[in-house]
Amino acid sequence: MKLVLASDNKNKLREFRTLFENFGVELISKAESGFTEEVEETGETFAENARIKAEAVMRATGLAAIADDSGLCVDALNGGPGVYSARYGGPGLDDTGRWQLLLKNMEGIENRACKFVSVICCFSISCLSVIAVLERDNCSVIFLVDKIFDLVRF
């Protein structure tokens, strides 16, 4: 089976290839599939953004596609930066700048509770699967939902 990773991140491609290598899945990059567009993440949730990316790549290539969306949700920032984690502080900031801004915005705040959320979505012509990893009491819980449920919301 051939699967397209809906990401330009080379480290992510390497990590996903390692995950799939024992399952007979040939994981290819967006570039290897011929898909060169940047998919705009317009969703309000991690699940929506992962689905938007996976569906766009699947429709353009005709191949099953897998995408993820993730970010940091800080309690004291009302769950922010959340789905905007990669864009936190605007386009002029790199990862270091975003972390520095986050720490500055947290100055004087005692509650530093936060969580890292990651959602993975696989889209194919024959089915839709969403795998969500949730952290509960230091235990990972993995959910797999397929097309039979029609709509997935987290």
Side-chain angles (χ1 to χ4, degrees):
M1 174 184 184
K2 191 178 278 191
L3 184 64
V4 181
L5 178 63
S7 173
D8 294 315
N9 184 317
K10 290 180 176 148
N11 290 328
K12 194 175 291 187
L13 180 63
R14 187 185 71 251
E15 291 169 358
F16 272 83
R17 279 184 172 154
T18 300
L19 288 171
F20 285 105
E21 68 187 359
N22 294 325
F23 298 101
V25 174
E26 179 188 357
L27 188 68
I28 64 172
S29 68
K30 279 179 20 180
E32 291 170 319
S33 76
F35 187 87
T36 57
E37 297 174 37
E38 187 65 34
V39 178
E40 189 175 352
E41 297 177 27
T42 57
E44 294 181 17
T45 67
F46 296 108
E48 288 172 350
N49 282 336
R51 181 176 182 199
I52 288 167
K53 291 185 283 187
E55 184 176 9
V57 171
M58 184 275 303
R59 290 189 186 283
T61 65
L63 298 169
I66 189 167
D68 79 305
D69 195 35
S70 59
L72 186 65
C73 300
V74 180
D75 290 357
L77 299 178
N78 296 319
V83 296
Y84 306 105
S85 293
R87 300 178 293 278
Y88 188 60
L93 291 183
D94 59 7
D95 287 343
T96 301
R98 282 188 284 279
W99 283 114
Q100 289 172 342
L101 176 62
L102 178 66
L103 291 174
K104 182 180 180 205
N105 290 339
M106 296 294 294
E107 283 179 6
I109 297 174
E110 288 185 34
N111 176 10
R112 299 216 165 204
C114 64
K115 62 184 173 186
F116 183 79
V117 177
S118 181
V119 176
I120 299 170
C121 178
C122 181
F123 223 102
S124 75
I125 293 171
S126 61
C127 72
L128 161 66
S129 296
V130 176
I131 303 171
V133 180
L134 306 174
E135 293 292 329
R136 290 206 177 144
D137 300 325
N138 297 322
C139 297
S140 292
V141 181
I142 299 177
F143 295 94
L144 175 63
V145 181
D146 66 19
K147 186 65 176 161
I148 200 165
F149 293 102
D150 203 30
L151 179 64
V152 180
R153 296 253 185 233
F154 293 96

